[in-house]
Amino acid sequence: MKRRSFIQVSSLAGAGVAIPGIQAAQSRKATRKAPRSRLNVAILGSGLRGQSHIGLLLDRDDCDVIAIADPDQVMVDRTLQMFRKRGISAPRVYQDGDEDYLNLLDKEDLDLVIIASPWRWHTEMSIAALEKNCYVGVEVCGAFSIDECWELVRAQERSNTHLFFLENVCYRRDVMAILNMVRQGLFGELLHLEGGYQHDLRGVKFNDGPGGGSGVKFGDDAFSEAKWRTIHSVHRNGDLYPTHGIGPVAMYADINRKNRFTHLTSMASKARGLHNYIVDHPMGGENHPNADIEFKLGDLVTTMIRCNNGETVVLHHDTNLPRPYSLGFRVQGTKGLWMDVNKSLHIEGMSPPHRWEEAKPYLEKYDHPLWKRHANKAEGAGHGGMDWFLVNSLVEHAMRNERPPMDVYDAATWLAITPLSEASIAGGSMPVTFPDFTRGRWTTAANTFATSDAY
Amino acid sequence: MKRRSFIQVSSLAGAGVAIPGIQAAQSRKATRKAPRSRLNVAILGSGLRGQSHIGLLLDRDDCDVIAIADPDQVMVDRTLQMFRKRGISAPRVYQDGDEDYLNLLDKEDLDLVIIASPWRWHTEMSIAALEKNCYVGVEVCGAFSIDECWELVRAQERSNTHLFFLENVCYRRDVMAILNMVRQGLFGELLHLEGGYQHDLRGVKFNDGPGGGSGVKFGDDAFSEAKWRTIHSVHRNGDLYPTHGIGPVAMYADINRKNRFTHLTSMASKARGLHNYIVDHPMGGENHPNADIEFKLGDLVTTMIRCNNGETVVLHHDTNLPRPYSLGFRVQGTKGLWMDVNKSLHIEGMSPPHRWEEAKPYLEKYDHPLWKRHANKAEGAGHGGMDWFLVNSLVEHAMRNERPPMDVYDAATWLAITPLSEASIAGGSMPVTFPDFTRGRWTTAANTFATSDAY
């Protein structure tokens, strides 16, 4: 009996319930060997982010992208062009409406499903893929409700596979060098962490076309994320995109590994940026219909989170204003601190007293073994190479059906920040407690993120 | 009838109550002319901060420092030495215990009283001096209670003089250049502000002697602020020193001038820094009696404040850890932002899109008229020259008995952050509302801070 099919059978027996759709997948999967040396991969959502993942997969010799699902003809055409350019046979395309991905999951013989669709679909698609016992890699966003986070956790627990949460910033070179320094104790005992998503997305929220031009439109007749992302800024007020900041912070602070987030409070400024952008834009103006929209998303949303081990976290969300891109990391412990905005650190006993030092020599000295080993392969990959590490880790873990370094509990915890921050703001910055999605497992779990130089 | 005595009489008549002690002072003051061209000044608390003010006063030809009150013989000797060195006749000294300042106020013929005593005395001394109708300049700290802030407000309102809150950072050259830029609209409509007090005070909290040496002692047999400041870190958990950060922020956001702080939430990290310092110090160690102290002050205390006009504020308090000095200012509006930690800014339409620019050329171009006019006089004064501007403004306002640019309502509002943050932390980061100390006057008041280049 193969390891994977054994686990499947015993897991289903243990669950004691019939999960619709699992039997069909199981009959195929049971014939397979694990670990596998080659993966059948499907992409749900082949927009710009999905295409980035596809590009990295097509560069590898251990993955076959056999199917994609996306209702957007423009994005499907772009994706198929990627295969043609490389002389690789085209994937089967499921584009008959938003839910054709269910047919994909039903018909295709898959090992790995990568979800890079609009936020609204992440959880539904993840659950459907987990129910087929496909290894799932799901892109980042923020949740809509705490219940949705629980659904995701339960779907993974019912399956005999895993969910890998695709937070690429955890693999950023400086972020990993700092992780290395944290683990070697250079900052001492951690006390305070900061991060966030501070990125002028006005051009993205009002993206007009493939040329990257920005108008003042969003929704169906806009391009890429402007089709579906901008509407969240109209109706919602909270930290809508917490994971690029919180992912690295959670790894530094061993969240869900003998530490956890206990509660948060959030505060939002007034909303001016998107309205002003529409009014001041040459294609907009006071009389443009979108000038009447009252955007609910505060231009600055700040969240403070407390950890069970006594650390504090500050998280920024700032996407409607002119500003340089900055994730605003700060890592501070009893022996010193690093800030990325000034590219500087201070370590007691190493740095001159009361003085900043340039971080660069430290980042080079403490370059993470994973980066040292693979930097040449990552060159040219998205977001400074970190996307290569992300996809490599996803594929390697999926090959072995291993628990990922960022698992469903991390996903649920980080995603939960969005509805918790919305609740806090709606309640006048009241403190809101985090659910323990691990149901106590955090008291014994260990941090496996980037603990080897293999993947 | 002189203007000043007229105001006094009519004000007392209006109040309709006899305030103890005021009659005696009035009989002397009523003989004076206002505006005055020369001031009799007393210093309550002639420690290191008081001596800094005395130095600036002795450099002027319009002030006579005629009396000091301080029970600490070492500090009195140092102060008298300053007079001797300059060949100026010594002030009368009131050093018979903590309350001898009351005798000073009773006996001396004063125009201006500067209070630079330990925090515990600021309010009592201010009220006593206001009751004598002396113009009061009081040093910064954080309050102990909201009631104390109200007492201060009521004492000023009962008097016919003013309280000038001595927040020197409002006069920092870059802070004032940014104020100039804010007022000229370069940042657009303000949305978010940050500041704080991030200063490794371990050497101050355990100051061992006049040589500046640091041991692990505090209290009676320590030196300067270690005598009285450190004990607050033992017992209190909150933002103990909010004003260096909030003063400039309040001026940028016109707080108490058609805007006000509505509520805050605070969060504290665990406390490790001071204990570690004692244990790791060559004069300390695990067996030192102070190693048993459980310091209550979280090493990082972070506070979020919301303003009535929709701006958000983040305030940091970080005084127990190895780190470079940084007040961590950030000023962000619809058109751009400045951060002092990276000495950079971004202004839409001026800076390259999505890029930081060095702040320096802007700080030079928008150098505040007050600095342009007086920079040469400020050279060499404390804290990069800002103390000269502070004392100059205090003296000039006192000469005219004018309402100061940082008045008793600012003092009460900024001081209140400490007890409000303590309450929020004690309540699990619950939101806490700010009292309106102005009782509605903020709805019509104007910001007079540094609106001319005179003083």
Side-chain angles (χ1 to χ4, degrees), chain A residues 202 268 270 306 309 348, chain B residues 189 202 268 270 306 309 348:
Chain A
R202 296 174 304 164
K270 57 189 162 188
R306 196 146 196 296
N309 291 350
E348 188 167 38
Chain B
E189 184 178 353
R202 296 173 304 163
K270 58 190 162 188
R306 196 145 196 299
N309 290 350
E348 187 167 39

Side-chain angles (χ1 to χ4, degrees), chain A residues 162-179:
Chain A
H162 295 285
L163 182 140
F164 191 123
F165 194 59
L166 298 174
E167 181 38 69
N168 60 350
V169 180
C170 289
Y171 291 96
R172 207 173 83 175
R173 194 166 197 163
D174 60 342
V175 164
M176 290 192 76
I178 296 295
L179 178 68

Side-chain angles (χ1 to χ4, degrees), chain A residues 265-294:
Chain A
T265 76
S266 289
M267 194 173 277
S269 79
K270 57 189 162 188
R272 291 288 185 272
L274 300 183
H275 173 79
N276 287 0
Y277 189 76
I278 291 166
V279 167
D280 296 340
H281 198 283
M283 294 160 72
E286 293 281 1
N287 296 319
H288 191 282
N290 285 351
D292 294 335
I293 295 169
E294 191 192 316

Side-chain angles (χ1 to χ4, degrees), chain B residues 16 40 68 365 417:
Chain B
N40 281 351
I68 65 169
K365 180 174 176 188
I417 291 169

Side-chain angles (χ1 to χ4, degrees), chain A residues 159-286:
Chain A
S159 79
N160 60 24
T161 182
H162 295 285
L163 182 140
F164 191 123
F165 194 59
L166 298 174
E167 181 38 69
N168 60 350
V169 180
C170 289
Y171 291 96
R172 207 173 83 175
R173 194 166 197 163
D174 60 342
V175 164
M176 290 192 76
I178 296 295
L179 178 68
N180 205 11
M181 292 175 68
V182 166
R183 287 177 175 171
Q184 292 188 36
L186 272 90
F187 297 103
E189 184 179 352
L190 290 193
L191 295 160
H192 183 72
L193 300 130
E194 300 191 12
Y197 191 65
Q198 305 177 121
H199 189 184
D200 177 0
L201 288 183
R202 296 174 304 164
V204 169
K205 293 188 184 185
F206 300 107
N207 194 340
D208 232 13
S214 175
V216 298
K217 290 186 302 186
F218 62 95
D220 286 342
D221 59 346
F223 182 70
S224 188
E225 292 173 82
K227 275 186 184 303
W228 55 266
R229 184 176 189 155
T230 316
I231 195 75
H232 295 278
S233 306
V234 177
H235 295 290
R236 303 171 72 193
N237 193 8
D239 187 329
L240 300 186
Y241 205 55
T243 73
H244 291 325
I246 208 63
V249 161
M251 288 305 166
Y252 295 144
D254 291 327
I255 297 303
N256 291 341
R257 286 92 173 159
K258 307 186 186 73
N259 197 8
R260 76 178 200 91
F261 296 138
T262 57
H263 59 284
L264 64 73
T265 76
S266 289
M267 194 173 277
S269 79
K270 57 189 162 188
R272 291 288 185 272
L274 300 183
H275 173 79
N276 287 0
Y277 189 76
I278 291 166
V279 167
D280 296 340
H281 198 283
M283 294 160 72
E286 293 281 1

Side-chain angles (χ1 to χ4, degrees), chain A residues 424-439:
Chain A
S424 179
I425 289 167
S429 299
M430 68 176 179
V432 185
T433 56
F434 275 79
D436 171 13
F437 294 107
T438 76
R439 301 190 201 76

